[in-house]
Amino acid sequence: MIKFLNVTKQYQEDKMALSDMTVNIDRGEFVFLVGPSGSGKSTFIKLLLKEIDPTIGKIKIDGKDITRISQRKIPHLRRKMGVVFQDFRLLQDKTVYENVAFAMAVINTSPKEIRRQVPNVLALVGISDRANMFPHQLSGGEQQRVAIARAIVNNPSVLIADEPTGNLDPETAWETMKLLKQINRRGTTILMATHAKDIVDMMQQRVIAIENGKIVRDDQKGVYGYED
Amino acid sequence: MIKFLNVTKQYQEDKMALSDMTVNIDRGEFVFLVGPSGSGKSTFIKLLLKEIDPTIGKIKIDGKDITRISQRKIPHLRRKMGVVFQDFRLLQDKTVYENVAFAMAVINTSPKEIRRQVPNVLALVGISDRANMFPHQLSGGEQQRVAIARAIVNNPSVLIADEPTGNLDPETAWETMKLLKQINRRGTTILMATHAKDIVDMMQQRVIAIENGKIVRDDQKGVYGYED
Amino acid sequence: MAMKTRTIIYSIKQGIKGSWRNRMMSIASITSIASVLMILGIVFMIVININSFSEITKGQFDTIQLDLEDDLSDGDMQNIGKSVKSIDGVKSVYFLSKEKALDNMKKKWGENGYLLEGLQKNPLPNSYVVELMDMRYADEVVKRVKGLQGLEEVRYYKDLVEKILKITDFIRLAGLIVIGVLILISMFVVANTIKLTVIARKKEIGIMKYVGATNWFIRCPFMIEGMILGVMGSAIAIGVISFGYKYVFDLITQKVYVMIAVYMVPAPVFIKSIAIIIAVLGIGIGVLGSIISMRKFLRV
Amino acid sequence: MAMKTRTIIYSIKQGIKGSWRNRMMSIASITSIASVLMILGIVFMIVININSFSEITKGQFDTIQLDLEDDLSDGDMQNIGKSVKSIDGVKSVYFLSKEKALDNMKKKWGENGYLLEGLQKNPLPNSYVVELMDMRYADEVVKRVKGLQGLEEVRYYKDLVEKILKITDFIRLAGLIVIGVLILISMFVVANTIKLTVIARKKEIGIMKYVGATNWFIRCPFMIEGMILGVMGSAIAIGVISFGYKYVFDLITQKVYVMIAVYMVPAPVFIKSIAIIIAVLGIGIGVLGSIISMRKFLRV
Ligand SMILES: Nc1ncnc2c1ncn2[C@@H]1O[C@H](COP(=O)(O)OP(=O)(O)OP(=O)(O)O)[C@@H](O)[C@H]1O
Ligand SMILES: Nc1ncnc2c1ncn2[C@@H]1O[C@H](COP(=O)(O)OP(=O)(O)OP(=O)(O)O)[C@@H](O)[C@H]1O
Ligand SMILES: [Mg+2]
Ligand SMILES: [Mg+2]
């Protein structure tokens, strides 16, 4: 379902953020993306979202080369994917409820459906009692959970998460992982960039390790694999 | 050096973010602040910085009640403290170098001294090669390291860090911890809110555990202490 | 279609919410819009009144005077009057006897009028005063009239009228240019204001794009927000300008010099036209301003 | 003191950097400032010229005419002239002989001048035309003059002059009000623009406060940025207005009606005064705008 073909991304002359990367992720997989800080994980995700375009190479999603689609098709591409950003990216002037409802309104969900679905998702990530607060009134972990709620509310076919447990305590982090696993079981492809060694080791899923923009390891049922 | 006396912080009617907290941190201590998401760690830190004022109670730093100092004295209070924020808070229109240099310029350091000191600190946190980039051109981990560099550049007497390793890979995280320990050895008081179980368990320092705005545990040489 | 309606309702709600939540910025934008429109109104007021003044002044010279020979019979004079009246472009003709003319002159000269008492006989001729429908007919009428018998002289303030016409035209043109420039400037100011609003919400727009919102979905609430700002800005400007004009008009009528008021455009007429202009401009500026200033940020 | 100098150098550097890095916003602010100042310039231009027109017109009636009795000797007449000249408030006195007066009248009446040929004898008196230093002295001078021997009549266009004075005063007042309102409005527009700039950089200001920056340390670069914007906005406005006025002035002189130009303020004079006004306002607006609009954000 997701194919990177010899993708290179160079932000600046001297250094490559990704170099000649080829990788294939099938529908329904659960993939961890690991690697040191600055290795290129977020760049990989930004390419998938067409936030940036590769310097060289092709990226195919559902068989379509997204480096070639027109500006107008981008919103429809993005609707297939739910995303949890490393910096949350919540709408600051909308409440928690509205942030989630907005993602539904965007794809033309009926108000009735929105009113039914939003509370469910907020309950799922455990922030129902914060529904009417604004992002700046939330703790870091709470904001991260709102971001997760927004990402899953439309039942996307791919869920992309950049460091979704970075601001969570271990317990909440584990609950989030259980949630992701559950979503994965319903057939959603999951791609998660993380530094959480414990979680990666425990989950026993595919692990793609990147270093300096290159894939250095790609194991089914892998482990985090960097030593302290 | 830092004293909380029956401090209560209530953002909204129904719920207390901190309730009747009394705690004492001595000069030169290394303290971990742990607790589930939303337990009140960031609130504790914001109170120290006088970003917010307590609803009830006194906060003393170096024997001075900071809930009573005048608006004009706040900058001088803050100069005693280096802070790493959970959301980095870098100046977006300044380069990495300038972000760090700015913190020095603020306290009237001579340009010569700034030119000497900034590269040292950037090297210390391992981002010398990113010196002329803007924050939005950095990876999450790189931004976090810039935030650390800025916090320590003025040799503050207290270093406060909110989740300073949340976006770092384990290896970089450990290097950061070594750095903090080293700074602590020079006599700087360190207060660090974190969810990183491994790190807390390994460092063998004082651990203050907060839950629902109350201190539930305060151990010298403590551990993270929450089970998965 | 149901989709579209839903989007529109959503946009209106969001637009209203948006302008309320960003109250401070909304107030800033509204005052900017109102200010610029007020300035426009003031200039419009000045120009329209100078124009009105010229028009009225011009009208007072807008006649041809036909001096009759001294020895004509009443019948001859009446015939000339009829012939003149039948010429194309002549609006009215009235007879001015030599006695009346001297009288008028004495009145007009006021304090110097006594000089005319010293005259042995009335040197002025009987005459017809011909009012034209429009200045354009002047030359033609003069030519036709000159063919008539019994006229001593045809007096026509051609040079003066043409000078006044030239000045009026100039003022009208200058006024139009100034107003045109002002509209452009105000568009600029408002587009800038809204651009700043949008820059401040750049991040927000980016986030919407990442969630999969189409450009129109993002644009609509901003456009409605722009419209709200435009409407409110216009309303304030219309209120202030209307009230101000009425106040000045009344002041002039009562306190300063009643005669000036004759040359001024009456308050209701002015208010009606300025209100329409300001409303159209304000709303147009608000909506266009939003669209123009968002272009850059939709490319994410 | 070394501290302060360092802060100032730092602020200037940061101010320049800031306005360059936020180029788009800077351009928006500069055009807004320039636009508003241009509008101000245009209104100033209109008001100052209407004022100049009134002043010059008024000046033409600003005299007292003393008609002398018919049978005075040359010595008597000269004595009267000297006495009048010595009165407080009299600027100059000149003699107008009865022949010259009739001549003037003939010229003034133009086409109707021939009427005066019919007079048996010159009915006009010899007279002194008294120019006053200022209208305020009029009543006093008239009273003193009336005590002199040999005067037939003291003619003084008091009503007319007072009407013109009233109108001139009104225009001057209205002009001042309009300009005052415009300055306020432009302050508002610019303060809003800068406020929006500051709102967009609210986060930045917050961060500075957390790093321990004092309010002045934060404010200074913004003030200098505001000053840069003000200077550039003023420069544009001065350029456009100066060029525009010169163009209009030349156009009127050459094409429309030379006589109007007499009533207009000459280009160099206008440009000099408007340049100073615009520069002072622009810079003041820039700096004050920054200070005012930052107030709210410094309380963190
Ligand atoms: N816009 C940009 N311009 C220039 N360089 C960039 C830009 N964005 C990222 N980079 C660089 O590309 C490299 C890869 O960045 P990326 O964000 O993909 O890292 P990452 O693996 O997500 O790291 P982290 O775990 O710290 O978030 C980094 O060295 C970063 O400095
Ligand atoms: N400005 C605010 N207004 C209202 N409630 C707030 C505000 N800031 C924080 N809170 C609430 O106070 C509680 C404590 O927040 P705090 O940020 O201190 O948590 P935390 O311990 O830092 O959590 P995390 O580990 O997730 O960052 C949370 O429930 C949060 O929702
Ligand atoms: Mg990243
Ligand atoms: Mg926190």
Side-chain angles (χ1 to χ4, degrees):
Chain A
M1 126 156 266
I2 298 171
K3 262 203 178 74
F4 273 55
L5 284 168
N6 305 96
V7 172
T8 294
K9 177 66 192 180
Q10 207 164 8
Y11 289 107
Q12 275 162 329
E13 286 291 305
D14 47 329
K15 217 200 136 220
M16 285 179 183
L18 284 189
S19 71
D20 197 33
M21 180 177 282
T22 299
V23 73
N24 198 4
I25 296 171
D26 286 332
R27 189 175 297 278
E29 275 196 281
F30 194 127
V31 180
F32 284 115
L33 206 57
V34 303
S37 171
S39 56
K41 303 180 297 296
S42 296
T43 301
F44 185 94
I45 287 170
K46 285 174 187 164
L47 284 168
L48 264 184
L49 289 172
K50 209 172 154 59
E51 181 176 336
I52 51 177
D53 280 318
T55 316
I56 317 173
K58 277 184 192 175
I59 298 168
K60 286 189 175 179
I61 294 181
D62 287 336
K64 214 175 265 165
D65 184 355
I66 65 163
T67 58
R68 305 222 160 178
I69 63 172
S70 75
Q71 197 70 19
R72 290 195 31 179
K73 291 273 174 62
I74 296 178
H76 300 276
L77 167 71
R78 288 180 180 156
R79 287 176 194 183
K80 287 183 194 165
M81 303 185 268
V83 197
V84 182
F85 294 95
Q86 197 165 5
D87 52 358
F88 318 146
R89 301 201 190 170
L90 301 174
L91 295 169
Q92 292 297 322
D93 70 343
K94 286 197 184 348
T95 63
V96 167
Y97 182 97
E98 289 167 348
N99 262 284
V100 178
F102 179 74
M104 299 189 81
V106 157
I107 59 164
N108 256 293
T109 316
S110 73
K112 214 176 111 195
E113 178 66 12
I114 292 178
R115 275 194 297 274
R116 204 182 56 77
Q117 185 63 9
V118 176
N120 287 346
V121 181
L122 292 182
L124 204 61
V125 297
I127 41 166
S128 301
D129 55 333
R130 297 275 173 278
N132 294 317
M133 288 175 122
F134 291 92
H136 73 268
Q137 298 178 314
L138 300 180
S139 81
E142 287 163 345
Q143 289 185 48
Q144 198 151 50
R145 282 178 277 164
V146 178
I148 294 171
R150 184 180 62 183
I152 62 176
V153 73
N154 286 327
N155 288 314
S157 57
V158 191
L159 178 62
I160 298 167
D162 198 351
E163 205 77 65
T165 59
N167 288 282
L168 298 179
D169 57 288
E171 202 175 339
T172 314
W174 271 112
E175 265 157 35
T176 306
M177 289 317 296
K178 271 185 231 159
L179 182 64
L180 293 187
K181 189 63 209 152
Q182 186 185 321
I183 293 164
N184 176 239
R185 267 197 219 103
R186 287 188 300 190
T188 306
T189 311
I190 295 190
L191 179 67
M192 170 170 160
T194 189
H195 294 303
K197 188 177 179 309
D198 294 0
I199 288 175
V200 177
D201 289 352
M202 210 78 124
M203 291 284 287
Q204 298 268 335
Q205 302 289 348
R206 179 176 173 189
V207 175
I208 298 175
I210 306 181
E211 256 173 60
N212 278 320
K214 289 199 180 75
I215 295 183
V216 291
R217 195 155 48 85
D218 187 349
D219 301 336
Q220 298 299 326
K221 307 215 175 192
V223 291
Y224 186 82
Y226 293 93
E227 267 325 292
D228 315 336
Chain B
M1 122 161 267
I2 299 171
K3 262 204 177 74
F4 272 56
L5 284 168
N6 305 96
V7 172
T8 294
K9 177 67 193 179
Q10 206 165 9
Y11 290 107
Q12 275 162 329
E13 286 291 305
D14 47 330
K15 214 200 137 220
M16 284 181 185
L18 284 190
S19 71
D20 197 32
M21 179 178 283
T22 299
V23 73
N24 198 2
I25 296 172
D26 286 332
R27 189 175 298 276
E29 274 198 281
F30 194 129
V31 180
F32 284 115
L33 206 58
V34 303
S37 171
S39 55
K41 303 181 297 298
S42 296
T43 301
F44 185 93
I45 288 171
K46 285 175 188 163
L47 284 168
L48 264 186
L49 290 171
K50 205 173 159 59
E51 180 177 335
I52 51 178
D53 280 318
T55 317
I56 317 174
K58 276 186 194 174
I59 298 169
K60 286 190 177 179
I61 295 182
D62 286 336
K64 216 175 265 165
D65 184 355
I66 66 163
T67 58
R68 305 223 158 173
I69 63 172
S70 76
Q71 197 70 19
R72 290 192 33 176
K73 290 272 174 64
I74 296 178
H76 300 277
L77 167 71
R78 287 180 183 158
R79 288 176 191 183
K80 286 185 195 166
M81 304 186 268
V83 198
V84 182
F85 294 97
Q86 198 165 5
D87 51 358
F88 317 145
R89 302 202 189 166
L90 301 175
L91 295 169
Q92 292 297 323
D93 70 342
K94 286 199 184 348
T95 63
V96 167
Y97 182 97
E98 289 167 348
N99 262 283
V100 178
F102 179 75
M104 298 189 81
V106 157
I107 59 163
N108 256 294
T109 317
S110 74
K112 214 176 112 193
E113 178 66 13
I114 292 178
R115 276 195 298 275
R116 205 182 58 76
Q117 185 64 6
V118 176
N120 287 345
V121 180
L122 293 182
L124 205 61
V125 297
I127 40 165
S128 300
D129 55 334
R130 297 275 172 281
N132 294 315
M133 290 174 120
F134 291 92
H136 74 268
Q137 298 177 314
L138 299 181
S139 81
E142 287 162 346
Q143 289 185 50
Q144 198 150 49
R145 281 178 279 162
V146 178
I148 294 170
R150 184 180 61 186
I152 61 176
V153 74
N154 285 327
N155 289 314
S157 57
V158 191
L159 179 62
I160 298 168
D162 198 350
E163 206 73 70
T165 60
N167 288 280
L168 298 179
D169 56 287
E171 201 174 339
T172 315
W174 270 113
E175 265 157 36
T176 307
M177 289 316 296
K178 269 185 234 161
L179 184 64
L180 294 187
K181 188 63 209 153
Q182 187 185 320
I183 293 164
N184 176 236
R185 265 196 222 103
R186 287 188 300 190
T188 307
T189 312
I190 296 192
L191 178 68
M192 170 171 162
T194 189
H195 293 304
K197 188 177 179 309
D198 293 0
I199 289 175
V200 177
D201 289 352
M202 209 78 122
M203 292 282 288
Q204 299 269 336
Q205 301 289 348
R206 179 175 173 188
V207 175
I208 298 174
I210 307 180
E211 256 173 62
N212 279 319
K214 288 200 180 77
I215 294 182
V216 292
R217 192 155 49 84
D218 186 349
D219 300 336
Q220 298 300 327
K221 307 218 175 191
V223 292
Y224 187 83
Y226 292 94
E227 267 324 290
D228 313 335
Chain C
M1 256 352 270
M3 274 177 40
K4 290 286 162 202
T5 321
R6 199 175 286 157
T7 305
I8 289 167
I9 293 171
Y10 173 87
S11 297
I12 293 173
K13 269 195 205 154
Q14 289 304 313
I16 294 171
K17 262 194 201 164
S19 39
W20 179 245
R21 286 229 178 112
N22 298 289
R23 244 160 304 175
M24 225 178 114
M25 271 201 218
S26 299
I27 292 172
S29 304
I30 290 172
T31 45
S32 291
I33 296 176
S35 308
V36 170
L37 291 176
M38 267 185 257
I39 293 170
L40 198 89
I42 292 171
V43 172
F44 188 76
M45 187 183 95
I46 293 170
V47 168
I48 215 176
N49 277 304
I50 289 178
N51 198 47
S52 153
F53 177 83
S54 319
E55 287 285 347
I56 291 172
T57 309
K58 190 190 76 179
Q60 291 171 348
F61 291 96
D62 209 4
T63 53
I64 299 174
Q65 195 162 0
L66 311 180
D67 292 350
L68 303 177
E69 283 171 9
D70 235 8
D71 45 7
L72 292 178
S73 68
D74 280 8
D76 284 345
M77 290 200 275
Q78 272 168 20
N79 281 339
I80 292 175
K82 275 182 201 145
S83 319
V84 172
K85 197 155 199 171
S86 69
I87 297 173
D88 269 3
V90 170
K91 196 163 127 201
S92 71
V93 175
Y94 76 91
F95 182 71
L96 183 70
S97 71
K98 55 197 303 172
E99 293 77 26
K100 184 91 181 69
L102 191 65
D103 238 40
N104 285 351
M105 192 168 267
K106 274 187 196 152
K107 265 186 211 141
K108 200 167 126 196
W109 292 1
E111 277 183 272
N112 291 324
Y114 74 97
L115 290 174
L116 296 173
E117 310 280 351
L119 292 172
Q120 286 161 309
K121 66 185 253 323
N122 185 346
L124 296 173
N126 290 316
S127 62
Y128 275 114
V129 177
V130 180
E131 223 184 317
L132 299 174
M133 297 212 257
D134 193 292
M135 285 305 295
R136 281 177 298 136
Y137 298 107
D139 284 338
E140 186 61 25
V141 171
V142 168
K143 219 169 79 189
R144 298 271 307 270
V145 155
K146 279 194 169 151
L148 295 175
Q149 292 280 321
L151 294 185
E152 201 176 272
E153 199 175 355
V154 177
R155 279 191 288 143
Y156 163 42
Y157 305 96
K158 201 176 168 215
D159 287 356
L160 182 62
V161 167
E162 281 188 344
K163 260 174 203 158
I164 293 179
L165 262 184
K166 235 174 171 172
I167 296 171
T168 312
D169 279 358
F170 174 75
I171 289 173
R172 198 184 286 128
L173 182 73
L176 282 178
I177 291 173
V178 170
I179 286 179
V181 170
L182 277 178
I183 290 176
L184 273 180
I185 289 176
S186 53
M187 278 272 212
F188 224 71
V189 172
V190 173
N192 281 340
T193 310
I194 294 178
K195 191 185 277 166
L196 290 173
T197 317
V198 174
I199 289 175
R201 295 167 78 177
K202 182 168 125 183
K203 232 176 153 178
E204 210 175 314
I205 295 172
I207 293 169
M208 291 180 183
K209 298 271 320 188
Y210 290 123
V211 177
T214 58
N215 284 351
W216 273 108
F217 194 87
I218 296 172
R219 216 180 261 138
C220 268
F222 278 97
M223 270 169 56
I224 289 182
E225 213 178 310
M227 206 169 86
I228 293 173
L229 302 182
V231 168
M232 299 188 76
S234 307
I236 294 172
I238 291 173
V240 171
I241 288 288
S242 306
F243 185 83
Y245 191 79
K246 218 178 131 20
Y247 180 79
V248 170
F249 191 86
D250 289 353
L251 192 82
I252 287 176
T253 312
Q254 289 153 22
K255 294 268 169 69
V256 187
Y257 189 35
V258 191
M259 286 310 292
I260 296 181
V262 174
Y263 295 101
M264 284 180 75
V265 179
V269 177
F270 174 79
I271 289 169
K272 206 172 136 195
S273 43
I274 199 72
I276 293 170
I277 293 173
I278 287 180
V280 169
L281 278 178
I283 295 169
I285 283 168
V287 175
L288 275 179
S290 313
I291 294 177
I292 294 169
S293 49
M294 286 193 67
R295 253 181 336 185
K296 216 193 127 174
F297 300 97
L298 289 173
R299 291 193 212 100
V300 183
Chain D
M1 255 353 269
M3 274 178 42
K4 289 287 163 203
T5 320
R6 200 175 284 157
T7 304
I8 289 167
I9 293 171
Y10 174 87
S11 297
I12 293 173
K13 270 196 203 156
Q14 290 303 314
I16 295 171
K17 263 194 200 167
S19 41
W20 179 246
R21 287 230 177 110
N22 298 290
R23 246 159 303 175
M24 224 177 114
M25 268 200 219
S26 299
I27 291 172
S29 304
I30 289 171
T31 45
S32 291
I33 296 175
S35 308
V36 171
L37 291 176
M38 269 184 258
I39 293 170
L40 197 89
I42 292 171
V43 173
F44 188 76
M45 187 183 94
I46 293 170
V47 169
I48 213 177
N49 277 303
I50 290 178
N51 198 46
S52 153
F53 177 85
S54 319
E55 287 286 346
I56 291 172
T57 309
K58 190 190 76 179
Q60 292 171 347
F61 291 96
D62 208 5
T63 53
I64 299 175
Q65 197 161 356
L66 313 179
D67 292 349
L68 302 176
E69 282 170 10
D70 235 8
D71 46 5
L72 293 179
S73 68
D74 281 8
D76 284 347
M77 290 200 273
Q78 273 169 19
N79 282 339
I80 293 177
K82 273 180 201 147
S83 320
V84 172
K85 199 157 195 171
S86 67
I87 297 175
D88 269 3
V90 171
K91 196 163 128 202
S92 70
V93 176
Y94 75 90
F95 181 71
L96 182 70
S97 70
K98 54 198 303 177
E99 294 78 25
K100 185 90 181 71
L102 191 64
D103 238 39
N104 284 350
M105 192 169 267
K106 272 187 196 155
K107 266 188 211 138
K108 199 165 129 198
W109 291 1
E111 275 183 275
N112 290 324
Y114 73 97
L115 290 175
L116 296 174
E117 311 279 351
L119 292 172
Q120 286 163 308
K121 68 183 244 345
N122 186 345
L124 297 174
N126 291 314
S127 62
Y128 274 114
V129 177
V130 179
E131 224 183 316
L132 298 174
M133 298 214 255
D134 194 293
M135 284 307 295
R136 281 177 297 137
Y137 299 107
D139 283 339
E140 186 61 24
V141 171
V142 168
K143 219 168 80 190
R144 300 271 306 271
V145 155
K146 277 194 172 149
L148 294 176
Q149 293 280 320
L151 294 185
E152 200 175 270
E153 198 174 355
V154 176
R155 280 191 286 144
Y156 164 44
Y157 304 95
K158 197 175 172 213
D159 285 358
L160 184 61
V161 167
E162 279 189 344
K163 259 176 205 160
I164 293 178
L165 262 186
K166 232 174 175 176
I167 295 172
T168 311
D169 279 358
F170 175 75
I171 289 173
R172 197 183 288 126
L173 183 73
L176 282 179
I177 292 173
V178 169
I179 286 178
V181 170
L182 277 177
I183 290 176
L184 272 182
I185 289 177
S186 53
M187 278 274 215
F188 224 71
V189 172
V190 174
N192 281 340
T193 309
I194 294 177
K195 192 186 278 167
L196 289 173
T197 315
V198 174
I199 289 175
R201 296 166 78 176
K202 180 169 126 184
K203 235 178 151 177
E204 210 174 314
I205 295 172
I207 293 170
M208 291 180 184
K209 297 273 318 187
Y210 290 122
V211 177
T214 57
N215 284 352
W216 274 108
F217 193 86
I218 296 172
R219 216 180 260 140
C220 268
F222 277 97
M223 270 169 56
I224 288 182
E225 212 178 310
M227 207 169 85
I228 293 173
L229 302 183
V231 168
M232 298 190 75
S234 306
I236 294 173
I238 290 172
V240 171
I241 288 288
S242 306
F243 186 84
Y245 190 78
K246 220 179 128 20
Y247 180 80
V248 170
F249 192 85
D250 290 353
L251 192 83
I252 288 175
T253 313
Q254 287 153 25
K255 294 266 169 68
V256 186
Y257 189 34
V258 191
M259 285 312 291
I260 295 179
V262 174
Y263 294 101
M264 284 180 74
V265 179
V269 177
F270 174 78
I271 290 171
K272 206 173 137 193
S273 43
I274 198 74
I276 293 170
I277 292 173
I278 287 180
V280 169
L281 277 178
I283 295 168
I285 282 168
V287 175
L288 275 180
S290 313
I291 294 177
I292 294 169
S293 49
M294 286 191 67
R295 251 180 338 185
K296 215 191 128 174
F297 299 98
L298 289 174
R299 292 196 209 98
V300 183

